[in-house]
Amino acid sequence: MATTSTRLVHIALFVSVFVSAAFGLRTGKGLNDAQQCRIQRLTATQPSRTLESEGGVIELWNKNEEQFQCAGVAPLRVVIRPNSIHLPSFHPTPRLAYVLQGKGLLGLNIPGCAETYTSQQPQQQQQQEQQQLQYQQVDQHQRVRRIRKGDVIAVPAGAAHWWANHGEQEDLVILTVNDLNHLANQLDQKFWEFYLAGGPAREGQQQQQQQQGQPWQQEEQGQFQNLKNLFSGFDPQLLAEAFRCPVDTIQKLQRKDERGVIVNSKQGLRSIIRPGKQEGEFQEQGEQQQEQWGGQGQGSPYNNGLAETLCTMKVHTNINQSKQADVYSRQAGKINMVDRLKMPILAYLDMSIEKGDLFPNALVTPHWTMNSHCVMYVVRGDAQVETVNYNGQNVMNDRVNEGDMIVVPQFFATTIKAGSNGLEFVAFKTSGSPTKSPLVGYTSVLRALPLDVVEHSYQVSPDEAQQLKLNRGGESILLSSHQQRGRAYK
């Protein structure tokens, strides 16, 4: 018979496994030698492939690069031209997206949630006893959200979604990072996207010439260039019975669409139901009210358990708001963070993001991240980035520019110095609650050490040890440059 202590151990193990599954913690399954982060050199990279469709372009980074294998992520950038739609799709991994440019619409369909957006038109109907106004329903669907530059968007694994650039004058550009190591993904370490409509995308000519014959390109070529939507694999008669539609209609559903996966909407999206829409225009005030309902359980018109916890959960927020900065320095800049506390849905994705705006020559303190990898993308400007691995080897000392992406593995120490034009960046984290450990500043590990320990560790004098601990005063994550502080340290 098991002892009481043994039972308690079993219960603790069960609870830990349950919590890990419930919150979607990542797993180390399928990690091969290339994914063990035995990296000797990190480099800044640009997209290496472009896939052309009728209404836009998908730009992909080579996920087989060592640094992406280490982090277990697959990044891509979607460019949607005006009056075009990125067709509905889903994927086995959670996706965190950032809107780099433009405005548009997001449709996110969460299984089990009701179609709460309903369109009705009045219809006069005469009855024998009296005449009354009745309504005939013409459409209903799940909520459609307005997105704009600076928005962070969380897409759970398996949730069908679509993007649209509706009537805007500029392209809608969305940067996404997919977490392949997430517990939700039980397939493999490849990037998969399952489309509900669309057809093959065309390889960009320049990339096709440059990448011709590379194994990684041939490996992923089939997904987009030989793409058929899910409906095309079913028997037409079976689908006709399931939909109660003529076979001719089902064949249109299954046909190989030569337009790709981003298509033009020639007549626009005028029938989509959106709150606050008057005479074809979208009122931002009405959308902000809807966003507040979606982000709060209270005040929502659908407080009924499931809708309160999932169906109305906030899935996007704007990270460009200066008043919401988590780190702010008048001399160095600001950092905005969105984690599981600001967007509870990120607890399920186990991902987060931060947006940095650095003044010219400002520094991000040397630090390591304790519980996540970091995928950094340069939105504007340039910077010098240094990264050091576990044995003190400098694995990166390069200048990064607009459009570059780099990976900083977990526990690798890194620092960033903005260029003369400043730096704007977004950093995706593979944890819903990332934690940094600074090497410099008032929250740094050196400042937390006793003075004697610093002296003996580095064989420095008491005055030098005091300088190492206190010279940055109250500065922590963001450090001002010599020029901005008005003096240089010697």
Side-chain angles (χ1 to χ4, degrees):
M1 180 178 294
T3 64
T4 301
S5 60
T6 303
R7 292 194 189 97
L8 291 175
V9 170
H10 290 167
I11 292 173
L13 288 173
F14 172 79
V15 170
S16 64
V17 171
F18 176 80
V19 170
S20 297
F23 285 96
L25 300 182
R26 61 200 13 82
T27 175
K29 71 178 180 66
L31 294 181
N32 53 37
D33 289 341
Q35 294 174 281
Q36 296 297 329
C37 298
R38 299 169 183 168
I39 296 176
Q40 302 301 315
R41 177 66 179 162
L42 292 170
T43 58
T45 62
Q46 296 264 354
S48 52
R49 294 181 66 195
T50 61
L51 299 170
E52 298 277 352
S53 294
E54 178 188 63
V57 180
I58 297 177
E59 301 172 312
L60 298 96
W61 278 262
N62 178 9
K63 75 169 188 62
N64 290 329
E65 285 186 17
E66 231 182 358
Q67 56 185 349
F68 296 130
Q69 289 280 311
C70 168
V73 297
L76 59 91
R77 191 166 57 201
V78 181
V79 180
I80 307 173
R81 301 187 185 106
N83 292 314
S84 298
I85 311 170
H86 182 270
L87 296 172
S89 65
F90 63 91
H91 34 79
T93 60
R95 165 177 288 180
L96 196 58
Y98 175 77
V99 181
L100 291 167
Q101 174 185 305
K103 297 179 181 180
L105 301 175
L106 163 68
L108 179 62
N109 301 96
I110 300 177
C113 298
E115 294 99 4
T116 56
Y117 277 31
T118 305
S119 173
Q120 295 175 327
Q121 64 181 10
Q123 181 182 24
Q124 297 289 344
Q125 181 178 6
Q126 294 184 353
Q127 296 184 351
Q128 293 180 358
E129 298 182 357
Q130 61 180 0
Q131 290 186 350
Q132 61 181 7
L133 186 66
Q134 295 187 349
Y135 292 87
Q136 178 182 2
Q137 179 177 292
V138 296
D139 188 24
Q140 64 181 38
H141 53 71
Q142 288 194 19
R143 179 183 175 189
V144 173
R145 295 165 171 86
R146 179 83 167 181
I147 58 175
R148 67 186 190 276
K149 180 180 178 180
D151 273 2
V152 175
I153 304 163
V155 182
H161 63 286
W162 52 268
W163 323 91
N165 185 348
H166 175 53
E168 302 297 339
Q169 298 300 316
E170 62 178 344
D171 292 345
L172 173 63
V173 184
I174 302 171
L175 177 69
T176 74
V177 171
N178 304 272
D179 186 1
L180 305 180
N181 280 344
H182 195 273
L183 192 64
N185 179 24
Q186 300 186 29
L187 294 179
D188 52 35
Q189 293 298 303
K190 297 178 183 178
F191 170 65
W192 297 98
E193 188 145 13
F194 297 80
Y195 279 89
L196 301 178
R202 303 181 302 277
E203 187 84 21
Q205 293 182 357
Q206 182 178 1
Q207 280 71 20
Q208 190 173 20
Q209 293 172 2
Q210 293 176 352
Q211 307 292 339
Q212 194 171 17
Q214 292 195 9
W216 72 268
Q217 185 193 21
Q218 296 172 2
E219 176 186 344
E220 294 186 342
Q221 185 177 18
Q223 180 184 355
F224 289 96
Q225 291 188 309
N226 300 319
L227 182 144
K228 295 181 180 178
N229 71 67
L230 290 184
F231 291 112
S232 64
F234 288 98
D235 178 73
Q237 296 293 339
L238 187 148
L239 283 183
E241 181 179 354
F243 279 99
R244 288 187 178 179
C245 289
V247 175
D248 291 346
T249 302
I250 298 301
Q251 290 174 343
K252 294 178 181 179
L253 201 69
Q254 296 181 310
R255 69 185 174 191
K256 182 179 179 181
D257 198 330
E258 299 294 339
R259 297 179 297 168
V261 295
I262 306 175
V263 302
N264 292 335
S265 55
K266 298 178 181 179
Q267 297 180 351
L269 303 175
R270 290 172 293 183
S271 63
I272 289 182
I273 310 162
R274 290 167 286 162
K277 185 177 70 171
Q278 286 185 349
E279 297 178 359
E281 295 183 358
F282 192 92
Q283 296 183 343
E284 294 288 344
Q285 185 176 2
E287 173 64 9
Q288 291 172 2
Q289 185 178 16
Q290 289 291 326
E291 183 174 342
Q292 291 173 1
W293 284 348
Q296 311 288 337
Q298 300 177 352
S300 170
Y302 300 98
N303 292 329
N304 61 352
L306 175 64
E308 199 171 332
T309 57
L310 183 61
C311 298
T312 61
M313 187 175 285
K314 190 174 185 178
V315 299
H316 75 111
T317 188
N318 196 276
I319 201 173
N320 279 353
Q321 305 297 325
S322 297
K323 294 181 179 180
Q324 298 178 5
D326 297 279
V327 180
Y328 176 72
S329 168
R330 289 186 176 180
Q331 291 77 35
K334 63 183 174 68
I335 294 178
N336 290 24
M337 306 175 187
V338 176
D339 57 13
R340 60 188 291 180
L341 298 179
K342 290 186 179 180
M343 281 180 63
I345 195 172
L346 294 180
Y348 298 96
L349 274 66
D350 201 25
M351 298 180 74
S352 58
I353 190 172
E354 68 179 31
K355 168 76 181 304
D357 290 277
L358 273 60
F359 297 153
N361 303 310
L363 291 89
V364 176
T365 182
H367 67 278
W368 70 84
T369 303
M370 300 173 62
N371 57 348
S372 72
H373 301 296
C374 173
V375 182
M376 174 182 160
Y377 177 87
V378 180
V379 178
R380 178 191 56 81
D382 63 298
Q384 190 72 23
V385 178
E386 288 197 39
T387 303
V388 177
N389 68 5
Y390 65 94
N391 65 356
Q393 177 186 359
N394 190 305
V395 293
M396 182 175 187
N397 187 5
D398 294 334
R399 181 158 296 277
V400 296
N401 300 286
E402 182 175 330
D404 283 342
M405 180 175 286
I406 61 172
V407 171
V408 180
Q410 180 187 15
F411 298 121
F412 280 43
T414 189
T415 185
I416 303 169
K417 180 178 174 62
S420 58
N421 295 318
L423 174 70
E424 181 181 350
F425 69 90
V426 288
F428 298 81
K429 308 295 183 70
T430 57
S431 170
S433 300
T435 304
K436 295 178 181 177
S437 183
L439 289 166
V440 179
Y442 79 93
T443 59
S444 68
V445 61
L446 285 188
R447 184 153 180 168
L449 294 175
L451 197 64
D452 284 349
V453 174
V454 177
E455 291 180 36
H456 289 90
S457 296
Y458 304 104
Q459 294 185 333
V460 296
S461 68
D463 288 343
E464 290 172 324
Q466 194 81 355
Q467 291 176 9
L468 290 173
K469 284 171 59 75
L470 303 177
N471 259 8
R472 271 296 173 174
E475 294 182 284
S476 181
I477 302 298
L478 296 180
L479 309 177
S480 57
S481 67
H482 293 178
Q483 296 92 329
Q484 290 161 335
R485 292 176 62 88
R487 63 191 179 103
Y489 293 100
K490 297 182 179 179

